[in-house]
Structures are given as C-alpha cells and as structure tokens.
Amino acid sequence: MRVLVVGAGATGGYFGGRLAEAGRDVTFLVRPERAAQLRSGGLVINSPNGDLRLAPKLVTVGELTDSYDLVLLTVKSYALEQAVEDIAPAVGLETAILPVLNGLRHVELLAGHFGDQRVLGGVCQVTTTLDPDGGIRQLGGRQELVHGVCRAPGPARVHEIDAELRDAGFTVRRSEDIRQEMWEKWVYVAAVGAVTCLMRGLIGEVVAAPGGRAFAERVVAECVAVAAASGHPVGEAARSRMLATVTEAGADTASSLYRDLRRGGPVEADHILGDLAARAAERGVEVPLIGLAYTHLRVYQGAPRRSG
C-alpha cells in the first residue's frame, strides 16, 4: 500500500519512520521548512526501542498529484482544518484516512469532508518529543497504534490496512470499539493536561503542593463524569490508571498540552478541553475545573508570546 503520513513531527515522524524502516512505501507530507531539515539531516529517531536514521520520501503541499491507499493523519488539532485542505488531492475513491488526534471532534470534521466510508478511528500510545535539531526522541518504551471503524460503514479495506501496519517495530491492534478507546484516551489526556497546565507544574510538583492530590482527583472525576454522560463510561481499570498517574508522588509526568505551553507554542485547548467542556454543558454535567483550565489556556492563546 502507498502510505502518506501527514506531518513528520514527534508522532508522525516516529510511526512513519518505523513503517519506512520496515520497508513500507511511506511518503511524508511536510511543510517546506521541515522538508529542508529532513533532506539535510535525515529523519532521526532516538529511542529505547532502537535508534533510526533514514532519508525519507517527502512531498510538500502543491506537489500531491496521486491518491494514496492510506493517509496517516498525525497533525496537532489546531492544524487540522488546513490539513484537510492539504490532503484532498491524495484522497481517492479507495483511500482510508487514519487520524491519531486526541478527542473526537476531528472524526466528525473528516467524515463531513471525505465521507464515513473513508475515515477510521485511531488511538496512539507513545510519548515522543521533537528536539531543537529536528530529531525525534522517544520518552519511555510504549509504542502502540490502535485502529477501528468509528463511524459506519468505515473503510472497506480494514483488514488490509491492519496487515500493512503490523510487523513494523511497534504494536498494532484492531479495536472492535474504537470510539470507547478514543473516549478513554481523551479523558486521560484531558485530565493530565488540565492538572499540569492549570497548576503550571509536573504531576509530582502538583501532588507535593497542599491540596494538589485532591485537586487532581477532582479533575479526573469531572472527566469521567462527562464520558459517562456521553454514553462511554470509563472502565474501572482505565480510571484507576488515570488516578494513579495524576497522583503519583515525585512523578515528572507532563502532558503534551503542558510541554507545548512551556515552549510558548500553540496548544490544543479547543480540541481537548474545550470540546469536553462543551459536551459537559450539553449534558448538564458540572465541570468547573475543566472549564477553568480551558479558560486559562484560551487566555494564554490570546496573549502576546513572550520569551523567557
């Protein structure tokens, strides 16, 4: 299959790089600046699962002329609408789109543009970051990609897509209830993001502060309540893992929201926290801490960027 990976950042570069290393036909759709960086130094991955350096196949917007079998969409949510326009020339009659964004809003947007028959649901479990030199660094060893039909009928080539993704150096799993798994990942990311961004600290720093542990537990309770009211109650095992993560003493855990905020870059406030707060309001669920965290990030988004 011809695979187009949209974005060669921390997530797309990692999974796309592993697929390319395994011999798959992978092309990365990137911006001109990233293309120049990758052509100069190659795609570099530093990982406890094995380092990698390769010369990737690249294409920029405007250079897409043919359709692809699979589009792996890995952009941040604030770049989603532009990405939808960018990938349009690559989406043919049999193209499947596998997005691995957090939340659920992107599924509705993609299905509205390309149809339910082309859009899968996806969840990725990997912690990676982009170094200043453009290299990708994996933090920890977990690397899993989960996919499944999120909105019927979904793509017809699900089995073929599953086979294409397997045996590429990371775990692949086909889910029969991907929407539930997307909800559980969403509330986890929202909880860790709200705790770290609102308190401006790592999990261990928050827990060490007076009232920090109780605050983190209340954030989890709000996120879980929204999922339950939306028809996707979080399982006890997932809830326990979430609580353990946000209350771990001494942990240096941080969310991608918080890392982006600390760097002074754009954040996925609307997609992760804003949409959750909106769904809570629609269902009459009180989420004062999630709402406060969202307001906090929206103020940050509107403020002039300052260095230091």
Side-chain angles (χ1 to χ4, degrees), residues 6-300:
V6 185
T11 301
Y14 187 82
F15 285 108
R18 292 301 187 197
L19 286 167
E21 181 185 31
R24 307 302 193 271
D25 183 359
V26 176
T27 300
F28 293 89
L29 175 61
V30 293
R31 300 297 177 197
E33 313 83 62
R34 181 62 169 155
Q37 190 176 48
L38 291 170
R39 288 187 178 112
S40 173
L43 178 65
V44 178
I45 296 175
N46 295 298
S47 164
N49 295 300
D51 296 342
L52 168 67
R53 180 187 293 271
L54 58 82
K57 291 170 59 177
L58 305 173
V59 65
T60 58
V61 175
E63 295 177 343
L64 288 174
T65 57
D66 298 318
S67 63
Y68 287 75
D69 299 299
L70 175 64
V71 175
L72 182 61
L73 188 60
T74 69
V75 299
K76 295 281 192 176
S77 61
Y78 46 75
L80 177 61
E81 292 189 6
Q82 183 60 54
V84 167
E85 294 183 20
D86 294 345
I87 67 174
V91 179
L93 293 176
E94 295 187 349
T95 301
I97 303 170
L98 174 55
V100 290
L101 289 75
N102 293 314
L104 282 164
R105 180 190 289 180
H106 61 281
V107 175
E108 283 73 22
L109 178 64
L110 289 166
H113 277 79
F114 301 112
D116 291 331
Q117 75 279 10
R118 292 189 181 89
V119 181
L120 287 163
V123 171
C124 71
Q125 302 285 359
V126 68
T127 304
T128 49
T129 186
L130 200 63
D131 289 331
D133 63 359
I136 298 164
R137 182 160 42 95
Q138 185 181 13
L139 311 173
R142 190 176 184 185
Q143 44 182 14
E144 182 179 49
L145 188 60
V146 187
H147 67 91
V149 174
C150 189
R151 292 165 60 106
R157 305 169 70 185
V158 175
H159 293 288
E160 187 178 349
I161 292 165
D162 185 69
E164 186 73 10
L165 294 172
R166 290 183 182 273
D167 302 318
F170 53 86
T171 302
V172 174
R173 181 165 53 83
R174 181 183 173 190
S175 172
E176 297 301 325
D177 193 358
I178 191 64
R179 184 173 285 268
Q180 177 66 27
E181 298 203 39
M182 291 170 71
W183 262 101
E184 292 191 356
K185 171 75 180 299
W186 184 10
V187 297
Y188 174 87
V189 169
V192 178
V195 169
T196 53
C197 290
L198 196 53
M199 293 293 110
R200 293 293 183 105
L202 304 174
I203 289 295
E205 295 169 338
V206 175
V207 173
R213 183 186 182 94
F215 158 74
E217 290 173 343
R218 288 197 298 272
V219 170
V220 169
E222 288 186 6
C223 293
V224 168
V226 180
S230 302
H232 293 275
V234 175
E236 184 55 38
R239 179 179 173 277
S240 296
R241 285 194 299 269
M242 207 183 316
L243 278 171
T245 297
V246 301
T247 60
E248 184 181 357
D252 60 358
T253 305
S255 65
S256 59
L257 270 173
Y258 181 60
R259 289 194 294 269
D260 290 341
L261 182 151
R262 287 294 302 269
R263 282 196 292 264
V267 294
E268 297 183 284
D270 295 333
H271 207 75
I272 295 177
L273 295 178
D275 193 27
L276 197 66
R279 292 176 192 245
E282 290 171 0
R283 293 157 178 78
V285 180
E286 296 291 330
V287 289
L289 296 177
I290 294 299
L292 185 62
Y294 177 53
T295 301
H296 175 66
L297 290 178
R298 285 304 300 263
V299 171
Y300 161 80

